Amino acid sequence: MDMAVGAGGPVAPRWSARFAVVAGTAAVLVLLLFAGLSSVLLIAVGVAGMVLTAAGVWWALVHRALLRVLALALAVAAPVTVVVLYALAGLLWVVLVSLALWAVAVSTGRAALAADSGPDRGAERRAAPPARPFLIMNPRSGGGKVAAFHLVEKAEALGADVMVLDPDQPSDVAELARRAADAGADLLGVAAGDGTQALVAGVAAERGLPFVVISAGTRNHFAMDLGLDRDDPAACLDALTDGVELRADLGFIGDRPFVNNASFGAYASVVQSPAYRDDKLRTTLELLPDLLTHDTGPRLTVRVRDRSVEGPQAVLVSNNPYRMGDPAGLGRRERLDSGVLGVLAVTVDTAAQAAGMLRGRHAPGLTSLTAHEVVVDADAPTVQVGVDGEALTLPAPVRCRVAPRALRLRLPRNRPGTPSGKPPMDWRRVRHLALTMGRTAAVHGGAPR
């Protein structure tokens, strides 16, 4: 059924916008009517609790032994104390109802904005099945998904030439892909983690061949942003018979391609530790204090166009920006063809700055930028980097760039996880949409009789 359309545009998103405005207003009225002037105190207590929690977490990260224990106790005690104070005042239910109404308002408002903008399906086009597809599969990826989902047998049944990597013999997957292309392969694909995906994707872009992602890795963030089913990697093979093609950007750090991101600073240094794989939590807690306080590790400088960020503890350069200001969408990218890198740099030196991170994208310790090229320099000859989950050490300075629409992606036509693409919340647009609905109704209602 087609969506009803009025003089001001689709009716359904305007009703959603009106509902969002009503729910948001109700959230405020519940506080005012049932808490009165105490509502101001309720908000102040809640904010204080969040600030103390953030400060406690920061102190726990930069200290060890007894001070870490005390900081963790503060981080736990602060929110518990807030809840107890609300309950003793008999206003806990008021806070919970108000928060629930506000959550409904934000969710409905974003849905209204998304519907009003219309679906963004990208430049997909139907693609003919490949004649000589070549797939590389890592049997250890994702805890053995290649065998568990019978990917080799299913791919070969579809006419693919499959190369299964030997876990005991390191392989140059990029060279394997180049040899396959030289031998006449007209499609390249990988069933492995994001690091391996990126290396073969680089060859596909270099040769102008379509590339298939098979979500057989542990996390497969790239597959997630493409809308692929990460719980059923065999469904990705539908791209060989019922596929569509679209273009995506490819990131490069030096000459090495990446599909997700390159991380610098504290996280990159932690994952380089030999002890990290055996005991991730203990290793992280042991190394973070010195890294966050700049007692160890190089001091970084990030240069983006005419801006410089001095001394960030963590830097993330991503192939297209990650969502910000949307807790439900953190770690996801709305688009993979915007033609720019996303840059997030975190600079926190005090507990007060850590508390300021609660402001999200507006936090003074968070720098969020987009650019075609990023340079990360250091006061050391080399920089430790995590590239799509792979730990590397590269000579400084490190240059990252994006190759717009360099990658031809071959995807299944039906992708159950395709992101909805909801825009960030914008109350001014929501109110405008709600009021426009009223004017539309008036136009269609005609003159009063």
Side-chain angles (χ1 to χ4, degrees), residues 129-153:
R132 297 184 61 183
F134 176 77
L135 306 180
I136 296 174
M137 299 191 180
N138 184 346
R140 284 188 176 174
S141 289
K145 286 184 179 179
V146 168
F149 288 89
H150 308 288
L151 297 182
V152 175
E153 296 83 354

Side-chain angles (χ1 to χ4, degrees), residues 67 75 85 106 181-182 184 207 222 233 245 274 308 323 370 382 437:
L67 288 177
L85 290 175
V106 172
D182 290 339
R207 298 297 182 92
F222 190 48
E245 187 171 303
S308 292
R323 290 182 188 175
T370 58
T382 60
M437 183 191 72

Side-chain angles (χ1 to χ4, degrees), residues 15 28 37 43 92 103 111 117 130 167 178 269 284 297 303 317 346 360-361 365 372 379 404 413 417 430 433 436:
W15 278 108
V28 176
L37 294 177
I43 295 173
L92 179 59
S117 300
R178 288 190 183 94
S269 297
T284 301
R303 293 194 290 271
V317 179
V346 178
R361 69 171 69 188
H372 299 288
D379 60 354
R413 183 167 56 86
V430 170
L433 194 57
T436 302

Side-chain angles (χ1 to χ4, degrees), residues 119-337:
D120 181 12
R121 304 183 186 278
E124 289 185 5
R125 64 179 182 82
R126 293 296 295 271
R132 297 184 61 183
F134 176 77
L135 306 180
I136 296 174
M137 299 191 180
N138 184 346
R140 284 188 176 174
S141 289
K145 286 184 179 179
V146 168
F149 288 89
H150 308 288
L151 297 182
V152 175
E153 296 83 354
K154 292 179 179 179
E156 289 179 339
L158 295 174
D161 181 11
V162 180
M163 167 67 72
V164 180
L165 301 178
D166 184 348
D168 298 321
Q169 296 291 331
S171 301
D172 185 340
V173 293
E175 182 59 27
L176 291 175
R178 288 190 183 94
R179 290 176 184 174
D182 290 339
D186 61 351
L187 177 144
L188 301 176
V190 177
D194 288 320
T196 305
Q197 297 276 0
L199 293 174
V200 180
V203 177
E206 170 189 307
R207 298 297 182 92
L209 297 176
F211 178 69
V212 168
V213 176
I214 303 172
S215 56
T218 302
R219 288 175 290 273
N220 280 127
H221 290 166
F222 190 48
M224 175 180 69
D225 289 332
L226 292 172
L228 298 173
D229 190 343
R230 294 188 296 170
D231 295 324
D232 182 13
C236 301
L237 294 173
D238 290 344
L240 302 181
T241 55
D242 186 19
V244 296
E245 187 171 303
L246 55 81
R247 290 278 184 168
D249 304 334
L250 192 59
F252 284 87
I253 178 167
D255 295 327
R256 182 188 175 102
F258 64 91
V259 293
N260 292 326
N261 57 63
S263 60
F264 304 79
Y267 172 75
S269 297
V270 167
V271 298
Q272 296 273 355
S273 171
Y276 179 75
R277 290 189 179 275
D278 296 329
D279 195 339
K280 292 180 173 59
L281 180 59
R282 182 186 295 274
T283 303
T284 301
L285 292 176
E286 179 61 30
L287 297 178
L288 273 183
D290 292 336
L291 292 170
L292 295 179
T293 57
H294 297 293
D295 288 337
T296 61
R299 183 177 179 83
L300 301 177
T301 299
V302 182
R303 293 194 290 271
V304 181
R305 298 189 300 274
D306 57 347
R307 291 192 58 177
S308 292
V309 182
E310 301 290 341
Q313 286 100 333
V315 179
L316 187 73
V317 179
S318 57
N319 176 28
N320 285 257
Y322 286 101
R323 290 182 188 175
M324 295 289 293
D326 174 18
L330 290 178
R332 300 198 67 164
R333 291 164 288 182
E334 294 283 3
R335 296 181 58 180
L336 290 169
D337 61 350

Side-chain angles (χ1 to χ4, degrees), residues 6 36 54 66 118 125 183 192 267 329 351 361 390 397 402 410 438:
L66 180 59
R125 64 179 182 82
Y267 172 75
R361 69 171 69 188
E390 303 289 335
V402 65
R410 186 70 58 84

